[in-house]
């Protein structure tokens, strides 16, 4: 946390001094007036300077963007980052020449980065924010793949009469599977295992004779 205590003949002067030291603007800070100061006789004798403590307000979304920028550069895949916010959900859309490196096999690298970004953003946020990390429309393409997979494995469960367990997935991917099969009366779905290895089980509905 960046914080500076500064003095001046007036509160305004003290604040300006602090802002100059912090290299920021007043709208991005919290100002705490420690002493309003005293002019004194003829403005000299018995005068006391004004003292303020100025703290920079950290923007959690900017910090998360900074983190992603640094990590993508360190991975040798520098990325442009676009931010979209809807209520408590913040989506970071990354693009770049080597974006495939940031997605990884089955989106594993992207999922790991998303988890870390979630930690960074909520370290500074005053209320919980949910992070979605996307690249080359991967999330939509992945959802379509998961929906197809869900229907195919549901058919397998019904045909075999046995439970079918899927590979471990993040919670939002499991939600896609649950939603895709919610209307299917021949199967039920439930999650099993502990994070981050939690997975979905598709179980056929045994019809009473």
């Amino acid at each position: 946390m960046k914080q500076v205590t500064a003095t001046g003949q007036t509160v305004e002067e003290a604040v300006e001094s602090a802002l100059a030291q912090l290299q920021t603007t007043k709208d991005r800070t919290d100002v705490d007036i420690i002493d309003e100061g005293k002019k004194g006789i003829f403005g000299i004798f018995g005068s006391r300077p004004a003292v303020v403590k100025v703290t920079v307000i950290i923007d959690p979304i900017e910090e998360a963007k900074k983190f992603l920028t640094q990590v993508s550069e360190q991975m040798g895949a520098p990325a442009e980052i676009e931010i979209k916010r809807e209520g408590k959900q913040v989506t970071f859309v990354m693009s770049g020449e080597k974006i495939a490196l940031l997605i990884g096999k089955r989106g594993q690298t992207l999922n790991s980065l998303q988890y870390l970004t979630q930690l960074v953003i909520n370290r500074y946020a005053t209320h919980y924010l949910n992070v979605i990390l996307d690249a080359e429309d991967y999330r939509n393409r992945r959802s379509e793949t998961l929906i197809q997979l869900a229907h195919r494995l549901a058919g397998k469960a019904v045909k075999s009469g046995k439970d079918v367990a899927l590979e471990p997935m993040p919670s939002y991917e499991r939600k896609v599977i649950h939603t895709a099969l919610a209307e299917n009366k021949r199967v039920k779905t439930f999650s099993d295992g502990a994070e981050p290895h939690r997975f979905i089980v598709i179980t056929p509905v045994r019809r009473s004779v």
Side-chain angles (χ1 to χ4, degrees), residues 162-174:
K162 295 178 181 177
D163 290 356
V164 175
L166 283 72
E167 64 185 28
M169 296 176 188
S171 60
Y172 58 91
E173 289 194 351
R174 295 198 304 272

Side-chain angles (χ1 to χ4, degrees), residues 6-15 31-40 46-53:
T7 60
Q9 288 188 338
T10 63
V11 169
E12 288 74 20
E13 277 188 21
V15 170
V31 177
D32 183 16
I33 300 170
I34 296 170
D35 192 331
E36 291 187 357
K38 185 181 177 184
K39 277 194 173 180
S47 64
R48 193 174 69 240
V51 184
V52 298
K53 184 164 70 177

Side-chain angles (χ1 to χ4, degrees), residues 138-187:
Y138 176 81
R139 296 299 178 199
N140 280 334
R141 290 188 287 112
R142 176 67 171 161
S143 290
E144 288 170 9
T145 301
L146 289 172
I147 290 167
Q148 291 172 6
L149 178 70
H151 291 304
R152 183 161 55 81
L153 293 182
K156 181 181 176 182
V158 170
K159 191 174 181 180
S160 66
K162 295 178 181 177
D163 290 356
V164 175
L166 283 72
E167 64 185 28
M169 296 176 188
S171 60
Y172 58 91
E173 289 194 351
R174 295 198 304 272
K175 187 178 179 182
V176 172
I177 301 283
H178 287 308
T179 304
L181 298 178
E183 301 297 317
N184 191 326
K185 304 295 186 217
R186 299 197 295 171
V187 296

